[in-house]
Amino acid sequence: MTEVVLLDAGVVSRCRRRVHLEHDPDMQDAPRAAPDPTGQQRRADAARHRRAVADALAALAGDGWREIEPDARTGERERATLAAMADGVALIWAAQLPRDLEGGRRGTVDLLVRSADGYVPVLVVRHKVSDPGAGARTSTLDAPVPSASSVDAIRKMRPQPRDQLRLAHVHRMLQACGYGATGRATGGVIGMDGDVVVWHDLEAPTWPGGRTALDEYDVRFADRLAVATAAHTHAPALARPSRIVECRGCPWWPVCGAELTASRDVSLVVRGEDALGLRGSGVRTVDDLARLEPDADLGFPMVGMPMADAVGLARAWLADLAVVRKVVDVKVPRADVEVDVDMESFGDAGAYLWGALLSGVDIGVPQGYRAFATWRPLPDPDEGRSFGEFWQWLTEVRDRAADRGLSFRAYCYNELAENRWLLASTRRFAGTPGVPPRRQVQAFIESDSWVDLFGSVRDHFLCAHGKGLKTIAPVAGFHWRDPEASGENSMRWYRDAVGMETGEPNEDQRRRLLQYNEDDVRATYALRNWMSSDEVAEIPYVGDL
């Protein structure tokens, strides 16, 4: 093998083992997981977003705009990009940078912007790149250059490491072909709002340990290039499989999963730094881990979970037990009046549905499931109306319970998602009827009335196959009516429900989403009732394994 290995920007945010497999000639016919439909849809959404931003920029730039033909051969696109830079075109869309044979780089970028004596890269992404606040450097789309930027009084930077690393990759490629702007390395990002460019100083010490984005990129890229080159030339592998969070959606998981299972690798139970630390201490398999004492001290701090939990999980895995108790007695906070809550959101666009299940002592409010929804494609102000109605209903339930001297609690599963949209809605829809001030929502979140059942599960159980609601609720005897129920699929159903592609809303998919949401809240109801019952004692206790 004598071909030069060329890597794109994505490798620096990718698992090292995946980089190896992608460049190992012997693995190109290996079985891989089917493409994730949700991921494909996200990519299609991102492409539409980029197109909309490109059209807006082109209209503003006029003669200063040049677009590189996306379907042309790579070499043709490189030559067209070089010609545009040589001509000094102000804005170059869909640029294909010349291959950097010496540096081992290849890649494209959404936009190149002429700045002083060279070009700077700009990404167009479909996620948020700023938060409310102040301090970000931004410029408007009619002047998308660093020199026109200023400190924004209403936006603060939202850290997006992946974006910064992609910008650093293109910066290095511009340097290699002689068209990089001099001065401090800079790159911009246009986010999902599509209204401003947020500028990143790639040489600012904003990374852990005082590193810059360029520092981080250079180290990571050199490592991935070494991994890919070793794989391509059949040299000893520099990356071995280890189970991490990203494995869940990786097309190479069938390969790595089979290898890890065959070797009974310790990362099947613990992940990340904990797995590395255990291997470094000679604990390489689940069997090795299960043989340790729960209070074993191997000379390094466990990050993901305490050693006792890791040992317990290993023993549960060997016994083929999905769930075991960490404690003898399982206790869940209960109340006279109880509400189970589940929210459905569409990416970063908003929360279109708040579902609630009222149970317990009769307070004069109809018990059972209620849905507060908007079926206008998000983002849309009608989201504020549905949230306001939900909050008014929840407040009425709380007030009626208090007036009768009854205790009240509301439950969700993994409060991070609900809390995000509870707080965001107070800001986004301030002034909408029923929408409370932020301090009121914050007080509720911080009170004993708001219970995160995920936290209760984490405190009371060890779960060998994860702690997601779809995993743990069946242990409590609950099952979803829809065999395809999942958060990922709900995104696809939502698109159909609001007619995002066709313009024709699908009533069947709306009913499907309402049933899915109702089952989610009924799952939390079933789970906490089971955790409060004698049946939970039938789950093996880890101390008995």
Side-chain angles (χ1 to χ4, degrees):
M1 298 284 178
T2 57
E3 300 94 341
V4 175
V5 173
L6 299 175
L7 305 181
D8 60 24
V11 297
V12 295
S13 301
R14 200 169 294 156
C15 163
R16 300 173 78 246
R17 182 61 178 178
R18 179 173 176 177
V19 174
H20 172 96
L21 293 170
E22 288 173 341
H23 292 86
D24 184 345
D26 296 338
M27 296 302 300
Q28 300 317 300
D29 295 327
R32 302 179 207 180
D36 173 22
T38 306
Q40 292 177 312
Q41 190 62 66
R42 282 196 296 267
R43 287 188 287 275
D45 290 342
R48 278 190 288 272
H49 174 63
R50 286 195 299 272
R51 184 68 261 168
V53 171
D55 292 342
L57 287 167
L60 292 168
D63 294 339
W65 176 265
R66 188 176 300 181
E67 188 163 339
I68 307 303
E69 172 56 48
D71 296 325
R73 292 178 178 274
T74 300
E76 294 173 356
R77 299 187 71 241
E78 287 181 1
R79 289 189 288 275
T81 300
L82 276 171
M85 291 191 290
D87 292 343
V89 175
L91 303 179
I92 306 171
W93 180 258
Q96 179 82 48
L97 278 299
R99 281 163 285 190
D100 177 9
L101 300 182
E102 184 176 343
R105 298 178 179 87
R106 60 182 173 85
T108 62
V109 67
D110 299 317
L111 182 66
L112 290 177
V113 175
R114 190 181 65 204
S115 177
D117 55 351
Y119 283 85
V120 295
V122 175
L123 305 176
V124 179
V125 298
R126 197 172 177 273
H127 56 247
K128 289 189 176 294
V129 298
S130 64
D131 289 312
R137 291 202 69 86
T138 65
S139 60
T140 56
L141 296 190
D142 58 349
V145 292
S147 59
S149 68
S150 59
V151 176
D152 201 310
I154 62 171
R155 296 177 179 88
K156 66 178 180 180
M157 187 80 71
R158 172 180 279 206
Q160 293 287 359
R162 188 184 297 263
D163 293 347
Q164 293 182 39
L165 295 173
R166 287 176 61 195
L167 292 169
H169 183 86
V170 180
H171 173 79
R172 290 298 189 219
M173 294 195 72
L174 286 167
Q175 286 181 317
C177 69
Y179 281 98
T182 57
R184 291 180 72 85
T186 303
V189 186
I190 300 172
M192 67 179 300
D193 294 332
D195 54 350
V196 297
V197 184
V198 176
W199 293 99
H200 291 269
D201 181 351
L202 303 178
E203 296 186 58
T206 55
W207 285 64
R211 300 190 304 277
T212 70
L214 276 180
D215 294 334
E216 185 72 16
Y217 165 81
D218 288 339
V219 171
R220 290 196 192 190
F221 188 82
D223 172 74
R224 300 311 193 268
L225 184 60
V227 169
T229 302
H232 187 67
T233 59
H234 292 117
L238 299 180
R240 297 293 179 184
S242 185
R243 187 168 176 242
I244 57 175
V245 174
E246 287 82 359
C247 291
R248 188 181 311 159
C250 179
W252 293 97
W253 174 244
V255 175
C256 294
E259 187 173 340
L260 292 171
T261 301
S263 65
R264 304 169 73 86
D265 188 79
V266 71
S267 67
L268 294 171
V269 171
V270 297
R271 304 177 189 176
E273 294 182 26
D274 289 345
L276 290 174
L278 287 168
R279 288 197 200 97
S281 301
V283 182
R284 300 184 175 279
T285 68
V286 178
D287 307 73
D288 294 337
L289 181 56
R291 282 191 289 268
L292 294 178
E293 292 299 322
D295 59 354
D297 183 0
L298 300 182
F300 71 93
M302 293 285 284
V303 178
M305 65 179 71
M307 180 62 76
D309 288 357
V311 172
L313 268 179
R315 293 174 180 176
W317 191 89
L318 293 177
D320 198 25
L321 297 172
V323 179
V324 296
R325 282 177 293 134
K326 290 170 60 174
V327 298
V328 174
D329 296 319
V330 175
K331 296 181 180 179
V332 178
R334 301 300 299 264
D336 300 319
V337 179
E338 299 178 325
V339 174
D340 295 278
V341 176
D342 185 69
M343 173 277 310
E344 308 293 343
S345 63
F346 184 65
D348 286 331
Y352 64 89
L353 171 60
W354 293 87
L357 178 70
L358 174 62
S359 60
V361 177
D362 184 5
I363 54 172
V365 176
Q367 295 196 347
Y369 173 73
R370 287 201 56 169
F372 304 85
T374 177
W375 297 114
R376 295 181 186 174
L378 297 180
D380 188 278
D382 193 53
E383 180 192 347
R385 187 268 315 158
S386 63
F387 172 72
E389 290 179 357
F390 162 71
W391 187 260
Q392 283 183 312
W393 177 87
L394 185 65
T395 300
E396 179 186 3
V397 170
R398 295 171 66 196
D399 288 347
R400 288 199 179 202
D403 290 344
R404 290 162 173 76
L406 301 172
S407 59
F408 167 87
R409 279 193 169 96
Y411 304 82
C412 68
Y413 200 82
N414 202 340
E415 65 182 356
L416 292 177
E418 274 74 17
N419 288 356
R420 173 192 178 186
W421 291 111
L422 282 169
L423 293 170
S425 296
T426 65
R427 171 183 55 79
R428 296 167 64 224
F429 305 113
T432 300
V435 174
R438 179 185 176 91
R439 64 179 181 277
Q440 189 178 120
V441 171
Q442 190 70 54
F444 169 70
I445 288 173
E446 295 173 355
S447 73
D448 292 337
S449 296
W450 186 229
V451 181
D452 181 8
L453 274 183
F454 178 85
S456 295
V457 169
R458 180 191 59 222
D459 293 342
H460 292 96
F461 300 102
L462 295 175
C463 306
H465 305 302
K467 294 184 285 291
L469 186 60
K470 302 297 187 302
T471 300
I472 192 69
V475 178
F478 184 85
H479 299 280
W480 276 255
R481 286 171 283 180
D482 194 319
E484 298 181 7
S486 72
E488 292 80 7
N489 284 336
S490 73
M491 297 286 187
R492 176 167 50 85
W493 303 340
Y494 172 79
R495 303 179 67 85
D496 295 337
V498 301
M500 193 168 287
E501 264 79 45
T502 64
E504 295 293 330
N506 186 317
E507 293 292 338
D508 288 339
Q509 293 294 58
R510 292 185 181 184
R511 285 189 289 270
R512 191 178 196 180
L513 284 167
L514 290 170
Q515 177 183 278
Y516 168 68
N517 180 261
E518 179 179 356
D519 281 356
D520 275 357
V521 294
R522 291 193 181 279
T524 62
Y525 173 83
L527 181 59
R528 60 186 173 79
N529 280 339
W530 171 75
M531 291 172 68
S532 301
S533 73
D534 293 338
E535 293 178 17
V536 75
E538 298 174 9
I539 297 296
Y541 171 53
V542 68
D544 296 332
L545 296 180

